[in-house]
Amino acid sequence: MLTIEELLFRSVAACVRELWGAECESGMIQLQKTKREFEGDITLVVFPLLRLSHRPPEQTADAVGRWIAERHPEITAYNVIKGFLNMVIHDAYYVRMLNAAATDHDFGHRHPETGSDPCLVEYSSPNTNKPLHLGHIRNNLLGYAISNILMANGIRVVKTNLVNDRGIHICKSMLAWQRWGNGETPSSSGKKGDHLVGDYYVRFEREYRQQVEQLVQAGQRQEEAEKNAPLMLEAQELLRRWEAGDTEVIALWKMMNGWVYEGFDETYRRLGVDFDIVYYESDTYLHGRDAVMEGLAKGVFKRHDDGSVWVDLREEGLDEKVLLRSDGTSVYITQDIGTAMLRHRRFHPSRMIYVVGNEQNYHFRVLALVLGRLGFPWAASLHHLSYGMVELPEGRMKSREGTVVDADDLMDEMTETARTMSLELGKLEGLDETEKEDIYRVIGLGALKYYILKVDPVKNMTFNPSESIDFDGNTGTFIQYTHARIRSVFRKAEELGITVPREVPDRAPLNGKEREIIKLILDFPAVLRDAADTCNPSLLANYSYQLVKEYNQFYHDHSILREENKDIRSLRLVMSSTVGRVVKDAMNLLGIEMPDRM
RNA sequence: GGUUCCGUAGCUCAGUUGGAUAGAGCAACAGCCUUCUAAGCUGUGGGUCGGGAGUUCGAAUCUCCCCGGAAUCACCA
């Protein structure tokens, strides 16, 4: 079905051709929603057309308005204010479009093209030496949400996680555990595996700092002391033995990483995110080396006298960047080169999206350029979905100062707060305990997820642990609450024996509020597309709030089930159920569950 | 110092391709529960869109310069 925008677009072009004998160039026909304070639904901005009409704005707008109104019964009236032509659209059009949305189970969604290449999304990518924190939550929510949004747009998605399971950081935890652990395990201590390992990492850092301090007091320079501290030397020795395949070290590494994975799995499960494929750096870190050596042979990279291999990106405005160490071992980016190649060989992705914090903007520019230098045409398909840091009121989270907001703790607190508030309101009486607990969980997590996802990813955001997350106002809770009330209307309708039509059978006139809401519903497909095109889930979050806010005002003024509203009930019921469905759909794409009651 | 990003109400954030008088929530104050769930609704107050110049019929939005903040520029990951 032709939307009214498409119809008007063509109509304006035809009008200009007929009246002034000119063709519209792209961008000249600007249609937008009419501002609330003016009468009308769609507005044509006529300024760009003045070049063709050679008339003042008002005359141009009036001429176009008259031409269109004479030919299209959908336009019932128009008015001109300065260079703006506001057109009023017939109620029947909106009722028809509402019905189309109401009866389309995949409203706004597109079906995947068969045989098309997938989009690969990498997110989470944790280190295995400490538990997940608030920054990881932003990462995971963004990655999971954008994957869902792409899928809703008919794109096949492969969700991947690249676990950084090797390196000096995990050796530090291992060393501390060997020293001070006394064989402690998750089951012996009752601690979650990732937290247990994280505690030993913290222990290492604490002891290490003491050693450094002692060396400095004994007369060494800070940098010297940091290199010479016995604990650091031991950790490095452990890394060497790991790389040499020492069975004892490998066994310890496997055991402790196993604990961490159990812990991560639980956190992921609670957070509601998942992956199709998990890559481990210990498997992939060697693969990039061959590619770098090939590039060296082709002359796109250079070897320095000490044997290290470099890429010179000064022409692109960047610096020289090391790709292989002088001892031949790989660095961080080497591993990413290898991983990208492995993935490309296996999936032929049309796009590779990396959800990684903005502190790695430089890294991903380099990665794309290096892959380009190596001659891979798909280097251009890399997309870094960069997001800002989550900061605390006093600044950045610092593990040294114990200001890291732990993911598990935060989810616990959110659920707990939801429980307390729910009990105060006392609306869940009559439900059994497991149902109640599930609703507390859904509300607590919904508030957290929405709070994070409503912010534009590119921006740093502030998280105030004591007062940030409200359950009032522009929150996930409010959206869930409105949904729960809509569901309640339908439960009541059933009790009252009111039949709910699938679509609006009559041609009831619309009031202003109803039009606003229907227009918002009809925006959903475009918002969903924009969110995918710009890799920005916050568009969906803010859209959901806007829709629900509008609906909630309507809800108060327009009783749906009252007997005196019988004749307009069908419209209101169809509208309500469609709002409920769209909002639930949008929120689910963000990973936010929608309770039927709360 | 170089590069990139951010700067909108006291606070947290929206703001569509450049479009009309820049919007929400929190906080403050005043109302609304015989009425489909008050986690809600209605109203009041609150702005040099960091500053300046430019482009344009029109700039929070695009360009340049400055100010403030963040990240990064490692043989760390």
Side-chain angles (χ1 to χ4, degrees):
Chain A
M1 194 189 331
L2 210 58
T3 66
I4 199 80
E5 284 86 359
E6 290 160 345
L7 185 122
L8 286 174
F9 195 89
R10 294 180 192 189
S11 203
V12 171
C15 166
V16 168
R17 199 177 303 126
E18 193 178 308
L19 291 182
W20 301 301
E23 289 299 323
C24 289
E25 292 161 29
S26 74
M28 271 192 175
I29 302 178
Q30 290 185 21
L31 291 166
Q32 56 190 244
K33 279 195 265 180
T34 303
K35 294 259 179 204
R36 203 175 288 256
E37 52 271 28
F38 301 101
E39 193 202 349
D41 299 296
I42 293 186
T43 295
L44 175 75
V45 184
V46 298
F47 290 108
L49 301 176
L50 302 184
R51 269 176 37 209
L52 307 179
S53 74
H54 302 291
R55 274 161 227 273
E58 287 84 353
Q59 283 183 30
T60 306
D62 199 61
V64 174
R66 191 171 332 114
W67 195 93
I68 290 175
E70 278 168 6
R71 285 162 182 77
H72 297 293
E74 291 91 339
I75 306 299
T76 57
Y78 70 92
N79 63 80
V80 174
I81 295 168
K82 292 193 277 183
F84 299 92
L85 169 62
N86 303 320
M87 290 170 279
V88 181
I89 294 166
H90 201 286
D91 288 338
Y93 169 78
Y94 285 116
V95 172
R96 200 166 68 236
M97 294 303 281
L98 172 64
N99 279 336
T103 50
D104 178 0
H105 283 291
D106 293 323
F107 176 59
H109 289 244
R110 287 191 281 185
H111 296 289
E113 287 173 35
T114 48
S116 61
D117 290 329
C119 175
L120 200 137
V121 180
E122 176 190 304
Y123 66 99
S124 202
S125 308
N127 290 350
T128 57
N129 63 324
K130 45 189 169 188
L132 271 31
H133 59 67
L134 185 50
H136 294 113
I137 292 185
R138 192 174 194 190
N139 182 306
N140 282 288
L141 296 181
L142 280 172
Y144 184 70
I146 201 63
S147 300
N148 285 338
I149 289 167
L150 291 169
M151 285 189 267
N153 278 279
I155 296 162
R156 288 205 301 129
V157 170
V158 179
K159 291 180 272 188
T160 74
N161 185 1
L162 176 63
V163 181
N164 183 3
D165 61 343
R166 54 157 226 112
I168 192 74
H169 55 275
I170 181 68
C171 290
K172 291 176 181 175
S173 295
M174 285 157 59
L175 182 60
W177 185 84
Q178 280 180 322
R179 281 254 178 138
W180 302 292
N182 297 318
E184 190 184 25
T185 66
S187 51
S188 79
S189 63
K191 280 185 197 166
K192 202 159 156 283
D194 50 339
H195 288 259
L196 179 72
V197 172
D199 289 347
Y200 283 102
Y201 183 77
V202 170
R203 179 73 185 269
F204 174 94
E205 290 292 338
R206 203 173 66 216
E207 304 275 352
Y208 169 62
R209 255 181 302 148
Q210 277 178 13
Q211 285 190 349
V212 170
E213 213 168 296
Q214 279 168 10
L215 290 176
V216 168
Q217 275 171 11
Q220 292 196 17
R221 287 202 323 264
Q222 183 73 23
E223 308 89 70
E224 268 182 320
E226 283 173 8
K227 273 187 193 166
N228 296 337
L231 273 173
M232 183 55 84
L233 296 176
E234 278 186 69
Q236 282 165 351
E237 173 59 19
L238 213 50
L239 182 60
R240 269 190 292 277
R241 286 170 63 193
W242 182 89
E243 294 208 359
D246 183 310
T247 49
E248 194 190 328
V249 175
I250 297 282
L252 176 62
W253 172 76
K254 280 189 175 160
M255 180 176 74
M256 290 183 71
N257 269 349
W259 297 343
V260 172
Y261 297 145
E262 281 175 27
F264 282 176
D265 284 346
E266 194 184 323
T267 306
Y268 288 144
R269 190 175 44 71
R270 287 185 70 189
L271 209 49
V273 305
D274 54 46
F275 306 95
D276 300 311
I277 292 186
V278 180
Y279 288 91
Y280 298 92
E281 265 192 30
S282 55
D283 295 332
T284 64
Y285 81 107
L286 294 174
H287 281 86
R289 204 177 345 185
D290 296 339
V292 174
M293 295 311 285
E294 251 176 66
L296 187 63
K298 278 198 270 180
V300 296
F301 305 138
K302 272 187 262 172
R303 194 191 279 281
H304 282 196
D305 292 341
D306 59 8
S308 55
V309 178
W310 296 72
V311 60
D312 185 351
L313 298 172
R314 281 176 297 197
E315 272 179 32
E316 283 86 351
L318 307 180
D319 298 312
E320 280 192 292
K321 182 85 188 171
V322 68
L323 299 177
L324 283 179
R325 293 191 186 102
S326 50
D327 62 4
T329 58
S330 36
V331 292
Y332 180 52
I333 194 160
T334 326
Q335 166 276 128
D336 255 335
I337 296 168
T339 308
M341 290 170 63
L342 282 175
R343 286 171 178 172
H344 201 271
R345 204 171 304 154
R346 177 160 174 192
F347 295 107
H348 301 283
S350 55
R351 278 177 104 188
M352 291 202 259
I353 296 176
Y354 292 83
V355 184
V356 180
N358 63 9
E359 76 263 16
Q360 294 196 33
N361 286 355
Y362 185 83
H363 170 78
F364 281 98
R365 282 179 70 190
V366 172
L367 179 62
L369 288 170
V370 167
L371 289 168
R373 290 275 176 99
L374 285 168
F376 299 118
W378 47 265
S381 72
L382 265 65
H383 177 80
H384 178 201
L385 173 44
S386 165
Y387 61 89
M389 329 217 67
V390 185
E391 287 164 354
L392 301 172
E394 59 272 23
R396 211 174 160 172
M397 289 192 283
K398 294 200 179 87
S399 48
R400 289 189 174 188
E401 292 165 23
T403 56
V404 174
V405 178
D406 179 78
D408 296 312
D409 293 349
L410 184 55
M411 286 191 278
D412 286 342
E413 281 167 34
M414 294 303 299
T415 306
E416 204 45 51
T417 311
R419 185 203 321 274
T420 310
M421 297 195 60
S422 240
L423 288 172
E424 268 174 32
L425 293 168
K427 294 182 184 181
L428 296 177
E429 276 140 33
L431 297 183
D432 66 43
E433 280 309 310
T434 54
E435 282 176 312
K436 283 187 197 170
E437 285 303 318
D438 198 51
I439 291 171
Y440 304 149
R441 180 188 64 80
V442 166
I443 293 172
L445 255 79
L448 173 62
K449 291 179 179 184
Y450 182 84
Y451 180 80
I452 288 173
L453 286 172
K454 76 173 175 180
V455 180
D456 187 335
V458 79
K459 291 184 176 174
N460 287 3
M461 58 183 291
T462 307
F463 177 84
N464 187 330
S466 57
E467 57 190 56
S468 266
I469 296 188
D470 285 314
F471 292 78
D472 303 320
N474 184 353
T475 61
T477 313
F478 173 61
I479 299 173
Q480 291 171 325
Y481 173 69
T482 308
H483 177 263
R485 287 212 300 208
I486 291 173
R487 299 311 310 153
S488 173
V489 168
F490 287 93
R491 280 194 300 273
K492 285 269 159 54
E494 201 181 339
E495 283 170 24
L496 295 169
I498 296 169
T499 50
V500 177
R502 282 186 69 237
E503 54 186 305
V504 187
D506 47 47
R507 286 281 178 273
L510 304 176
N511 66 32
K513 206 71 184 165
E514 288 161 346
R515 288 179 152 243
E516 286 304 313
I517 293 167
I518 293 172
K519 282 194 256 183
L520 274 172
I521 291 171
L522 299 181
D523 282 343
F524 180 59
V527 173
L528 195 50
R529 262 202 311 279
D530 285 352
D533 291 346
T534 59
C535 280
N536 186 355
S538 80
L539 298 182
L540 263 191
N542 287 302
Y543 165 78
S544 301
Y545 176 69
Q546 204 188 339
L547 175 57
V548 156
K549 170 94 180 152
E550 198 76 31
Y551 178 82
N552 220 48
Q553 292 164 356
F554 167 88
Y555 182 97
H556 274 262
D557 298 341
H558 303 86
S559 305
I560 294 168
L561 300 177
R562 291 246 199 97
E563 196 55 28
E564 65 260 32
N565 291 326
K566 210 169 155 183
D567 37 335
I568 37 174
R569 213 186 254 159
S570 64
L571 171 72
R572 293 181 180 180
L573 284 170
V574 170
M575 211 178 76
S576 295
S577 79
T578 310
V579 167
R581 214 162 42 83
V582 165
V583 161
K584 182 175 185 174
D585 189 11
M587 296 290 274
N588 284 346
L589 291 175
L590 298 177
I592 297 171
E593 295 172 70
M594 298 290 268
D596 281 341
R597 60 183 82 206
M598 62 186 275

